[in-house]
Amino acid sequence: MVVTGIFRKALLCRGSNLNLSNLRFASTRTVTLIPGDGIGPEISAAVQKIFAAAQVPIQWESVDVTPVRGPDGKFGIPQSAIDSVNKNTIGLKGPLMTPIGKGHRSLNLALRKEFNLYANVRPCRSIEGYETLYNDVDVVTIRENTEGEYSGIEHEIVPGVVQSIKLITEDASKRVADFAFNYAKANGRTKVTAVHKANIMRMSDGLFLRCCRDAAKKYPEIKFEEKYLDTVCLTMVQDPSNFDVLVMPNLYGDILSDLCAGLVGGLGLTPSGNIGTNGAIFESVHGTAPDIAGQDKANPTALLLSAVMMLRYMELPTYAAKIEKSCFDTIKEGKLLTGDLGGSSKCSEFTDEICRKVEIQ
């Protein structure tokens, strides 16, 4: 069963004050787990251990997404993985590596297209006790996830000249614009910024901007503004408090969401959720870090916080709050931190401390 509507969107935000009952999903639910490559299996195991400590009513169905060669000679997602996500409608994914070269499709892109995961939601919020150059950052980037420059439409016109098509459609733009305003309203946000370059790409970005303007008319209580991508990047690093919720096409979102993550400590601390019409996949967006894979050095925070987003999406806010608090308290104390957070502890030690805090709550 897929839960839809404005309340589901609200649960994606950290610290949502909606006091929904856990009874609706009191029985155990199955979630597809894609451990991923490199450090993926390690951090996935850490999340599973923490969920077990919190007694979250979830059972995991682990699937392998190692690419298989299709009839067209290109590599894609195994059918068994597709069937699992279609059946369970909810997934958690570790980092995936896509080889660079001909014949290899991006598996991340393929997953988004396969399951029509049209909105990528990336909350970036300062973590107490982990100092960065910025304090009190609290922005959310919402990225159209299925088209734009990542449509994969490109060809060679003549030798030495290639063309890549930026595809923007009214349906996709309307859908993500409506989602952004719904999200803002459900989470008590006050402003939505449409990020674009319609001054240069007048037709494609112009269409996206028009859809955002149309959506804004339906939410007069939400302030709406339009900003050029380059202006947003400049202003964001000067004073991120100028922004609240930002909605944008695919490529801009890929760039800007990583920039925002840098304000709060990097991709290792940033959760991410991909929301579709019939389900969702939550993921860590950092790399596979093959140089430290298998060495018990990885930081599982990004995948854990993405799993917390998943719990809120599943309307299990009590479990989400307990795990999130335990994670943040561990980081704030600063005694057992992984190397990327300035400590020297192992992934297993960081994980065990979170489990200990979960169990005493």
Side-chain angles (χ1 to χ4, degrees):
M1 178 175 60
V2 178
V3 178
T4 59
I6 194 168
F7 296 106
R8 168 62 68 81
K9 296 179 181 68
L11 295 172
L12 298 173
C13 184
R14 180 205 304 184
S16 172
N17 59 6
L18 292 180
N19 187 23
L20 298 179
S21 171
N22 286 339
L23 294 178
R24 183 171 186 175
F25 291 124
S27 60
T28 301
R29 295 197 63 196
T30 303
V31 172
T32 298
L33 177 65
I34 303 172
D37 303 315
I39 61 172
E42 297 170 65
I43 61 176
S44 296
V47 170
Q48 289 177 285
K49 186 172 184 178
I50 293 166
F51 270 47
Q55 300 182 354
V56 180
I58 281 177
Q59 66 178 13
W60 304 96
E61 184 173 284
S62 185
V63 297
D64 182 9
V65 294
T66 301
V68 295
R69 188 185 295 273
D72 59 358
K74 295 184 178 181
F75 291 87
I77 307 167
Q79 188 60 45
S80 58
I82 294 173
D83 293 342
S84 176
V85 177
N86 279 329
K87 178 184 67 175
N88 299 324
T89 72
I90 298 175
L92 182 68
K93 183 182 75 64
L96 294 175
M97 180 183 69
T98 300
I100 298 174
K102 293 183 178 180
H104 294 280
R105 295 177 177 136
S106 165
L107 286 177
N108 292 313
L109 182 58
L111 286 166
R112 293 169 200 152
K113 288 189 173 183
E114 178 68 36
F115 302 110
N116 201 19
L117 304 173
Y118 65 88
N120 175 255
V121 182
R122 295 264 294 270
C124 289
R125 192 170 177 181
S126 297
I127 295 177
E128 186 179 359
Y130 187 75
E131 297 298 324
T132 69
L133 296 176
Y134 300 86
N135 297 316
D136 300 322
V137 176
D138 186 9
V139 299
V140 180
T141 59
I142 297 178
R143 160 189 174 189
E144 201 294 314
N145 221 11
T146 62
E147 53 181 32
E149 291 87 350
Y150 291 177
S151 300
I153 307 171
E154 55 182 9
H155 57 274
E156 187 174 53
I157 301 174
V158 296
V161 180
V162 298
Q163 184 178 55
S164 181
I165 305 298
K166 174 175 178 172
L167 179 68
I168 298 288
T169 66
E170 185 173 15
D171 287 346
S173 299
K174 278 185 174 180
R175 187 169 57 183
V176 76
D178 285 337
F179 180 93
F181 279 93
N182 259 338
Y183 180 95
K185 181 177 180 179
N187 287 285
R189 299 276 179 164
T190 60
K191 183 171 68 173
V192 171
T193 303
V195 184
H196 67 97
K197 285 296 290 183
N199 57 323
I200 304 298
M201 287 164 278
R202 298 182 184 277
M203 294 185 69
S204 55
D205 280 23
L207 173 58
F208 181 85
L209 187 56
R210 175 167 60 81
C211 292
C212 290
R213 290 169 178 168
D214 290 343
K217 294 175 184 176
K218 296 181 282 187
Y219 297 86
E221 70 277 22
I222 305 294
K223 181 180 178 181
F224 174 64
E225 65 178 10
E226 307 165 5
K227 296 284 186 182
Y228 296 140
L229 172 64
D230 43 345
T231 302
V232 171
C233 291
L234 173 64
T235 308
M236 186 69 74
V237 298
Q238 290 178 327
D239 184 3
S241 68
N242 285 297
F243 300 105
D244 192 353
V245 175
L246 304 99
V247 61
M248 65 215 79
N250 207 336
L251 175 63
Y252 306 161
D254 193 8
I255 296 168
L256 192 56
S257 59
D258 277 13
L259 185 154
C260 292
L263 304 179
V264 299
L267 296 176
L269 296 172
T270 309
S272 176
N274 300 287
I275 314 303
T277 51
N278 295 307
I281 295 179
F282 298 83
E283 62 180 346
S284 55
V285 292
H286 54 68
T288 57
D291 56 318
I292 62 169
Q295 299 178 37
D296 200 16
K297 295 180 178 179
N299 175 11
T301 301
L303 189 63
L304 181 61
L305 294 181
S306 297
V308 166
M309 285 180 68
M310 180 187 75
L311 290 177
R312 291 194 170 110
Y313 178 88
M314 296 173 68
E315 298 187 11
L316 295 170
T318 303
Y319 296 101
K322 179 187 293 188
I323 293 171
E324 184 179 63
K325 183 179 187 302
S326 298
C327 178
F328 289 150
D329 285 350
T330 300
I331 294 173
K332 182 180 178 181
E333 288 174 1
K335 297 177 182 178
L336 293 169
L337 300 180
T338 52
D340 61 313
L341 298 179
S344 59
S345 298
K346 297 177 180 179
C347 173
S348 56
E349 293 170 333
F350 180 72
T351 300
D352 288 344
E353 179 62 17
I354 295 174
C355 289
R356 188 186 69 80
K357 285 179 165 53
V358 164
E359 290 168 347
I360 63 176
Q361 282 192 57

